Amino acid sequence: MSALGDDIRALIGQEGPISLERYMTLALTHPTHGYYMKRDPFGAEGDFTTAPEISQMFGELIGLWAAEVWAAMGSPNPLRLIEFGPGRGTLMSDALRAARVAPEFRATLDVRLIETSPTLAAIQHDTLLTAGASVSWAGQLDEVPDGPAIMIANEFLDALPVRQYVRGSRGWCERLVGLDGAGELTFGLAAEPERSIKASAQEGDVLEVSAIGHRLMFALGARLARQGGVALFIDYGHTATGFGDTLQALRAHRAVSPLVEPGEADITAHVDFAAMARSARAAGAAVYGPIDQGDFLKILGIDQRAQALTSRAGASQAADVEAARVRLSGKGVGEMGALFKVMAIAHRQLPIPPGFHRLPGAAA
Ligand code: SAH
């Protein structure tokens, strides 16, 4: 058991079972032992890999997307370019480099990175040292000064803690983390059902709720509706609210139990895009998508970008570019194009953001 596992068992011993939300919060962001707090989890050597780490094309296309959105917003100056959970800072670095083709846009940028991990913030700092833009860090959105904004979040919402409720004969009971007879962490259910949940379902069905995600989407939607701008969320998840346990833990690219060695594995849940969209709309913002990442990247020009990179590369580099293009935009098994979705939240008066028009030639 990890050091954090010992802490959590002691906590439950004193206070009784804790919610899954609290467990996930501790496992991911406990100040000393949380998963993200002390390590760089990305890449072949790490626990998982993400789109910006697969290819520079991902961040570049998003940088050009942002420049177009800025022009549609009426070219505000300054523009807050906000990224949630920037990981190694790779996406932002690629985006800023690509945005050199739009110097007027670049000159307006006030880059704000929202990051909870000091270890990752230090890596982001190093990555962006030579980016030639003003970059600063915040713990959360309300620390970022007001003003028109473009926000980007890749694989951020899936890291936000969720609660789970299980349908039993008496109603929806919250899933809790407690201790078994041997003193090990185990899942259990609250004795009393949660009366406020009205969803009807079969016995045994699981309902996941991200209250933290809802609060963020409401605050962000209200901010964009008041101050102008667009937010882009890219993540894996489902487009309609449904029932199911999507909690998963990954360590060294393998699935492990979320209760074994908390703090040592990445724990995520699928994003309920429909639910997130409802919160943003309730705050007065418009919502576009979610659409497949593959479609989004194709409309943004990933095929042309890959071709341009390939034409200047040697044979083995060209093969790498092609493999990355397919992995990011293909829709087959093991490819990200259909698994990952893209959703935009925007000020209602703005035109449809680039990428969210129907694919040219696609069936209606
Ligand atoms: N966007 C990056 C990293 C995704 S991993 C990429 O695509 O490679 C999730 C990121 O969100 C990490 O940087 C993690 O430290 C950060 N994070 C997780 N929970 C957070 C929270 N509550 N507030 C701010 N950042 C958080």
Side-chain angles (χ1 to χ4, degrees):
M1 208 9 103
S2 54
L4 182 57
D6 292 339
D7 282 8
I8 294 176
R9 285 187 302 180
L11 172 78
I12 295 171
Q14 278 165 16
E15 295 182 13
I18 60 176
S19 68
L20 180 59
E21 180 185 274
R22 182 147 183 223
Y23 177 79
M24 253 179 110
T25 302
L26 290 167
L28 294 178
T29 58
H30 180 281
T32 45
H33 304 305
Y35 176 76
Y36 284 115
M37 304 311 270
K38 52 184 181 185
R39 65 160 66 69
D40 171 4
F42 308 102
E45 246 106 90
D47 295 311
F48 59 100
T49 192
T50 58
E53 301 299 330
I54 289 169
S55 167
Q56 68 186 70
M57 292 186 285
F58 190 79
E60 289 171 348
L61 293 170
I62 290 177
L64 299 177
W65 175 91
E68 245 186 89
V69 168
W70 169 78
M73 287 166 64
S75 311
N77 184 7
L79 177 83
R80 316 254 182 255
L81 182 60
I82 301 170
E83 186 180 356
F84 293 92
R88 283 180 176 162
T90 309
L91 190 163
M92 186 57 75
S93 161
D94 293 335
L96 292 174
R97 190 182 59 256
R100 283 194 193 137
V101 299
E104 289 169 3
F105 167 63
R106 271 202 57 133
T108 67
L109 291 182
D110 172 21
V111 178
R112 304 276 173 158
L113 303 181
I114 298 183
E115 176 56 68
T116 191
S117 161
T119 306
L120 288 174
I123 295 174
Q124 292 153 18
H125 180 261
D126 289 351
T127 306
L128 294 167
L129 263 184
T130 54
S134 140
V135 183
S136 50
W137 280 261
Q140 42 198 34
L141 182 60
D142 60 14
E143 293 164 25
V144 175
D146 287 351
I150 294 176
M151 309 183 194
I152 297 159
N154 186 61
E155 289 209 44
F156 172 74
L157 293 177
D158 66 76
L160 297 181
V162 295
R163 288 175 180 253
Q164 285 185 341
Y165 299 88
V166 182
R167 180 78 202 189
S169 54
R170 297 186 307 131
W172 292 98
C173 290
E174 183 166 10
R175 179 168 276 164
L176 302 174
V177 178
L179 300 177
D180 65 14
E184 296 300 330
L185 296 175
T186 186
F187 285 120
L189 287 183
E192 284 304 309
E194 181 61 55
R195 306 267 171 222
S196 62
I197 301 178
K198 303 289 182 235
S200 60
Q202 312 244 350
E203 246 181 70
D205 276 349
V206 175
L207 182 68
E208 279 177 356
V209 180
S210 176
I212 295 172
H214 281 291
R215 280 199 292 277
L216 173 68
M217 295 309 264
F218 192 86
L220 174 153
R223 182 172 173 136
L224 293 173
R226 266 200 321 272
Q227 302 173 14
V230 181
L232 189 69
F233 289 93
I234 306 155
D235 228 306
Y236 50 92
H238 33 277
T239 48
T241 301
F243 301 109
D245 174 0
T246 74
L247 193 73
Q248 63 179 50
L250 274 187
R251 188 171 186 187
H253 298 263
R254 287 170 164 238
V256 295
S257 158
L259 296 187
V260 172
E261 305 205 84
E264 302 299 319
D266 184 36
I267 307 180
T268 61
H270 286 198
V271 175
D272 183 345
F273 280 103
M276 295 296 110
R278 283 194 289 274
S279 288
R281 272 198 204 99
V287 177
Y288 300 92
I291 59 173
D292 288 353
Q293 170 173 304
D295 297 342
F296 182 72
L297 293 178
K298 277 195 195 294
I299 300 173
L300 263 46
I302 192 170
D303 295 341
Q304 295 81 341
R305 183 70 191 126
Q307 225 159 31
L309 288 173
T310 312
S311 66
R312 291 183 237 131
S316 101
Q317 265 184 317
D320 288 349
V321 170
E322 176 56 14
R325 182 190 71 79
V326 170
R327 183 145 177 222
L328 292 174
S329 63
K331 297 195 180 183
V333 177
E335 296 165 356
M336 299 169 77
L339 191 62
F340 280 72
K341 312 281 179 204
V342 187
M343 185 170 83
I345 314 290
H347 188 283
R348 281 212 199 123
Q349 256 105 59
L350 287 175
I352 300 175
F356 290 88
H357 294 93
R358 193 163 290 136
L359 264 182

